[in-house]
């Protein structure tokens, strides 16, 4: 697979005067782990729903796997696995009965081998031992795993996952992260919508940031967090270090100095040569949080008096 | 898709509890009749009930007449009201549509499942009625049975016309089902959809008793429900039966059209 997996052009969704999604151009390429970031209410969920044909755009176009949505949904969506705003299942049925019904409800899930596929995905998400149990008794984390199993059932080319680690404990989060990276390595494109920066930073190769319905940023994670050309130095004697380095010091904050120069070894040599103790040394890179906070205006669910809401209704 | 919906419906405990409850009232009535031997006089009480003491094979019809005005339509409204709104409330609607089940397909499958529910329920009520009726009351093994207008019907005729009644009652319930299914596409609350359909039903029943509403009476969805008794006249009085079928057909076509138009163009945000 190569080329573009998700492409939207001028995608817009208005609910009355409220513009939930305001002209976004998504560009997700084959093999990406795409992190779709945004505060609560920034329009992430509405966008995800438009990608899957659940919400119909006010204007603009959506293409998934090269075909228009919702028009070619019947052809494209069987190749897409999705987790949309939390898992859902029929509580009185077992985990495997739920998967079986969902699989039979649409095209592209052959009855032959279905039992085998269900056993495999349940095993993959760590529910192999409870496949026969009613979902009624499942914990939130188990339901989340079941939802993920449903998304993986037809070995999709594209996974669209909305907050996939919601409700999981730290071990569970680690397990799911490993699973997603494994799938990505074998060719699955992953579109990950989340408001958890740390999660995106650990998984994503590309990042898009949504702020009040607008895309404010879309780039490779490596580019966004590329070294700034400065070096971060930690020293127990910052005063002497500043004296030695002179105007190369860009900023000083306690024992932490940011020094011009993209060669930590060179900075280290200067300081050690002058007898200044150095306790830490690293290339200066912005964190994803720095990048996002610089690009996005503020929390989506914070509405001060006197502002007009233009990007509510997630 | 239809198979999926049927499996969902009939593997759900609630479906069978509803059917069991629906059978409780006719069974209770039969037991009371047997114990007290006090049948209503002809023309009083639910249809056919006056005749069952002398002929138990009419009890399936009495049982249907007992559940027809309220119990059966409530059960239908609950199941049909839950059809789409229940999936929306449970969150499974978004997964079905993203699967993709196809909106029109899903709606058709839901409709077929509701019709299957009505048919199964009516048949079970009739069957339980037959078992209870023949066990508790006399069965005239030979010769003619008394029809509703004092005419005579052979046991074969009674059996055939009971089957016709089962079909007619099933069709009569489709109007309610169509109302509930339409409301079910409008809201994410199955209770609201069910209550909406029941409100239509109660409104219709009330208007039917009102002289001032006699001009619109022929168009009320409940107007011809009890016309299945006309199968037991000799000859069969077809006039109201055909009108009843036609009226239900109009309600079903119009409401399903509206349900389809709404459901295929709406944003699924549940």
């Amino acid at each position: 697979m190569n080329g573009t997996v998700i492409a939207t052009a001028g995608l817009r969704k208005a609910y009355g005067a409220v513009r939930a999604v305001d002209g976004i151009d998504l560009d997700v390429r084959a093999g990406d782990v795409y992190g779709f970031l945004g505060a609560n209410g920034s329009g992430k969920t509405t966008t995800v729903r438009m990608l899957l044909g659940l919400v119909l755009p006010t204007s603009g176009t959506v293409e998934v796997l090269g075909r228009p949505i919702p028009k070619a949904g019947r052809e494209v969506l069987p190749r897409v696995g999705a987790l949309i705003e939390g898992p859902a299942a029929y509580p009185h049925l077992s985990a495997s009965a739920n998967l079986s019904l969902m699989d039979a409800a649409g095209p592209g899930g052959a009855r032959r081998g279905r039992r085998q596929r269900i056993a495999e995905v349940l095993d993959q998400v760590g529910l192999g031992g409870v496949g026969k149990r009613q979902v009624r008794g499942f914990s939130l984390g188990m339901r989340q795993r079941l939802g993920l199993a449903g998304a993986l059932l037809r070995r999709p080319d594209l996974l669209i996952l909305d907050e996939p680690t919601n409700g999981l404990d730290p071990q569970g989060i680690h397990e799911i992260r490993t699973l997603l990276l494994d799938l990505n390595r074998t060719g699955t494109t992953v579109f990950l919508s989340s408001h958890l920066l740390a999660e995106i930073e650990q998984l994503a190769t590309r990042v898009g940031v949504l702020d009040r319905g607008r895309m404010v940023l879309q780039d490779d994670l490596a580019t966004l967090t590329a070294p700034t050309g400065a070096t971060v130095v930690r020293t127990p004697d910052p005063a002497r270090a500043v004296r030695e380095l002179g105007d190369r010091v860009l900023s000083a904050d306690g024992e932490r100095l940011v020094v011009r120069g993209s060669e930590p070894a060179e900075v280290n040599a200067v300081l050690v040569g002058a007898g200044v103790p150095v306790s830490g040394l690293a290339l200066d890179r912005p964190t994803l949080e720095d990048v996002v906070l610089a690009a996005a205006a503020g929390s989506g669910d914070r509405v001060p008096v006197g502002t007009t809401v233009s990007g509510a209704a997630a | 898709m239809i198979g999926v919906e049927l499996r969902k419906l009939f593997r759900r405990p609630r479906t069978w509890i509803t059917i069991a409850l629906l059978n409780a009232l006719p069974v209770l009535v039969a037991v009371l009749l047997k114990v007290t031997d006090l049948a209503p006089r002809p023309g009083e009480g639910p249809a056919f009930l006056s005749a069952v003491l002398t002929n138990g094979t009419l009890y399936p019809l009495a049982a249907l007449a007992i559940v027809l005005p309220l119990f059966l339509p409530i059960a239908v409204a609950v199941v049909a009201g839950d059809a789409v709104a229940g999936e929306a409330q449970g969150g499974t609607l978004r997964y079905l549509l993203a699967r993709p089940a196809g909106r029109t397909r899903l709606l058709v499958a839901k409709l077929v499942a509701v019709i299957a529910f009505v048919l199964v329920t009516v048949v079970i009520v009739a069957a339980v009625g037959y078992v209870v009726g023949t066990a508790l009351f006399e069965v005239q093994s030979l010769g003619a049975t008394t029809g509703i207008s004092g005419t005579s019907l052979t046991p074969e005729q009674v059996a055939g016309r009971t089957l016709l009644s089962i079909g007619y009652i099933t069709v009569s319930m489709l109007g309610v089902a169509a109302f509930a299914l339409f409301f079910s596409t409008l809201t994410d609350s199955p209770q609201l959809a069910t209550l909406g359909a029941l409100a239509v039903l109660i409104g219709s029943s009330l208007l039917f008793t009102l002289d001032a509403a006699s001009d619109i009476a022929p168009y009320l969805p409940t107007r011809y429900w009890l016309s299945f008794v006309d199968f037991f006249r000799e000859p069969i009085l077809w006039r109201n039966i055909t009108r009843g079928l036609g009226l239900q057909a109009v309600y079903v076509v119009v409401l399903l059209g509206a349900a389809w138009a709404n459901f295929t163009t709406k944003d699924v945000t549940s």
Side-chain angles (χ1 to χ4, degrees):
Chain A
M1 260 197 350
N2 48 50
T4 303
V5 171
I6 300 175
T8 70
L11 189 62
R12 196 179 303 270
K13 180 68 190 181
Y15 293 103
V18 178
R19 291 193 293 267
V21 173
D22 198 1
I24 72 171
D25 304 303
L26 271 177
D27 172 27
V28 180
R29 297 161 197 172
D32 277 353
V33 176
Y34 188 100
F36 192 45
L37 271 168
N40 294 324
S42 57
K44 290 194 306 288
T45 298
T46 304
T47 308
V48 166
R49 283 175 184 267
M50 286 194 280
L51 297 182
L52 296 167
L54 297 174
V55 166
L56 309 171
T58 306
S59 65
T61 58
V62 178
E63 273 191 15
V64 174
L65 295 166
R67 306 279 291 134
I69 291 286
K71 200 159 172 264
R74 208 169 164 73
E75 188 185 318
V76 168
L77 293 180
R79 296 165 58 200
V80 179
L83 196 59
I84 319 149
E85 252 193 307
Y90 303 106
H92 58 279
L93 296 176
S94 70
S96 43
N98 264 288
L99 292 177
S100 172
L101 279 178
M102 271 299 168
D103 199 46
R111 184 194 294 248
R112 180 195 292 266
R114 181 176 293 155
R115 194 186 293 256
Q116 176 70 23
R117 278 187 292 134
I118 289 173
E120 274 172 24
V121 287
L122 282 176
D123 223 32
Q124 213 170 3
V125 300
L127 292 180
V130 291
K132 294 273 167 275
R133 259 179 43 197
Q134 278 194 351
V135 174
R136 191 187 302 283
F138 277 23
S139 69
L140 180 56
M142 287 162 84
R143 283 166 202 253
Q144 192 74 18
R145 287 166 188 260
L146 178 59
L148 208 55
L152 300 177
L153 192 53
R154 280 165 299 283
R155 303 286 158 218
D157 298 325
L158 168 64
L159 277 172
I160 295 182
L161 305 174
D162 198 3
E163 314 276 0
T165 55
N166 208 0
L168 293 176
D169 49 29
Q171 290 85 346
I173 292 175
H174 178 76
E175 212 179 303
I176 296 306
R177 192 190 301 143
T178 312
L179 172 63
L180 292 180
L181 289 175
D182 279 349
L183 289 167
N184 181 247
R185 250 191 299 280
T186 55
T188 311
T189 305
V190 181
F191 180 90
L192 202 62
S193 156
S194 180
H195 65 271
L196 300 174
L197 286 159
E199 186 169 297
I200 298 289
E201 198 160 21
Q202 289 177 35
L203 275 169
T205 54
R206 264 163 71 77
V207 175
V209 179
L210 203 59
D211 180 41
R212 295 163 199 224
R214 288 203 170 87
M215 281 287 264
V216 290
L217 196 69
Q218 178 167 251
D219 211 335
D220 286 345
L221 184 67
T223 312
L224 292 173
T225 58
T228 56
T231 299
V232 179
V233 180
R234 285 191 170 276
T235 166
D237 196 351
R240 267 182 68 201
V242 171
R243 232 177 298 135
E244 290 301 327
L245 291 164
D247 62 358
R248 288 183 65 186
V249 178
L250 300 171
S251 70
D253 175 19
E255 296 191 344
R256 183 177 184 274
L257 306 179
V258 179
V259 181
R260 183 154 15 88
S262 55
E263 290 288 334
E266 180 265 337
V267 177
N268 190 36
V270 172
L271 290 173
V272 171
V276 181
V278 173
S279 57
L281 204 57
L283 272 174
D284 183 39
R285 299 171 173 272
T287 62
L288 185 57
E289 186 174 356
D290 299 332
V291 175
V292 169
L293 289 179
S299 175
D301 43 26
R302 186 169 175 276
V303 186
V305 181
T307 44
T308 49
V309 183
S310 69
Chain B
M1 190 66 222
I2 288 171
V4 170
E5 287 307 321
L6 290 175
R7 268 197 280 165
K8 269 195 259 181
L9 180 66
F10 289 110
R11 283 173 70 171
R12 188 167 179 176
R14 196 187 72 181
T15 304
W16 296 106
I17 293 171
T18 307
I19 292 175
L21 286 175
L22 210 54
N23 277 293
L25 186 63
V27 171
L28 177 66
V29 170
V31 170
L32 288 175
L33 282 181
K34 176 68 181 174
V35 171
T36 63
D37 214 21
L38 288 172
R41 273 171 300 182
E44 284 180 9
F48 296 102
L49 211 51
S50 56
V52 296
L53 281 186
T54 53
N55 187 358
T57 57
L58 287 176
Y59 201 73
L61 295 157
L64 287 171
I66 288 168
V67 298
L68 183 63
L70 195 62
F71 275 34
L72 187 57
I74 287 179
V76 172
V78 167
V79 170
D82 189 65
V84 178
E87 303 269 7
Q89 195 181 49
T92 42
L93 182 62
R94 58 178 183 266
Y95 286 103
L96 278 174
L97 295 183
R99 170 60 187 85
R103 297 190 185 204
T104 306
R105 277 164 205 264
L106 182 62
L107 202 60
V108 169
K110 290 290 185 190
L111 177 71
V112 172
V114 170
I115 294 174
F117 170 77
V118 178
L119 191 62
V120 166
T121 305
V122 172
V123 167
I124 290 178
V125 168
V128 170
Y130 183 81
V131 170
V132 171
T134 52
L136 294 185
F137 307 116
E138 288 175 39
V139 177
Q140 294 173 352
S141 51
L142 279 175
T145 319
T146 312
I148 198 97
S149 51
T151 50
S152 294
L153 297 173
T154 63
E156 292 75 33
Q157 278 179 312
V158 170
R161 293 178 186 201
T162 301
L163 287 180
L164 285 175
S165 302
I166 287 174
Y168 182 79
I169 290 170
T170 302
V171 173
S172 295
M173 287 301 116
L174 295 189
V176 190
F179 270 110
L181 197 57
F182 171 53
F183 293 149
S184 190
T185 65
L186 291 180
T187 169
D188 290 346
S189 156
Q191 293 83 2
L192 208 59
T194 298
L195 285 175
L198 289 180
V200 170
L201 206 75
I202 292 167
S204 168
S205 305
L206 183 127
L207 289 174
F208 185 40
T209 63
L210 204 65
D211 284 339
S214 61
D215 282 349
I216 56 169
Y219 310 107
L220 295 172
T222 60
R223 167 63 183 86
Y224 297 106
W225 276 10
L226 285 172
S227 297
F228 77 92
V229 299
D230 290 348
F231 283 119
F232 294 86
R233 300 183 201 283
E234 189 60 40
I236 295 175
L237 199 57
W238 287 102
R239 190 165 156 272
N240 283 350
I241 291 171
T242 49
R243 283 187 185 179
L245 294 175
L247 186 66
Q248 294 299 323
V250 170
Y251 273 111
V252 168
V253 167
V254 170
L255 289 167
L256 286 183
W260 178 81
N262 177 49
F263 187 56
T264 51
T265 55
K266 90 173 203 169
D267 288 333
V268 175
T269 53
S270 61

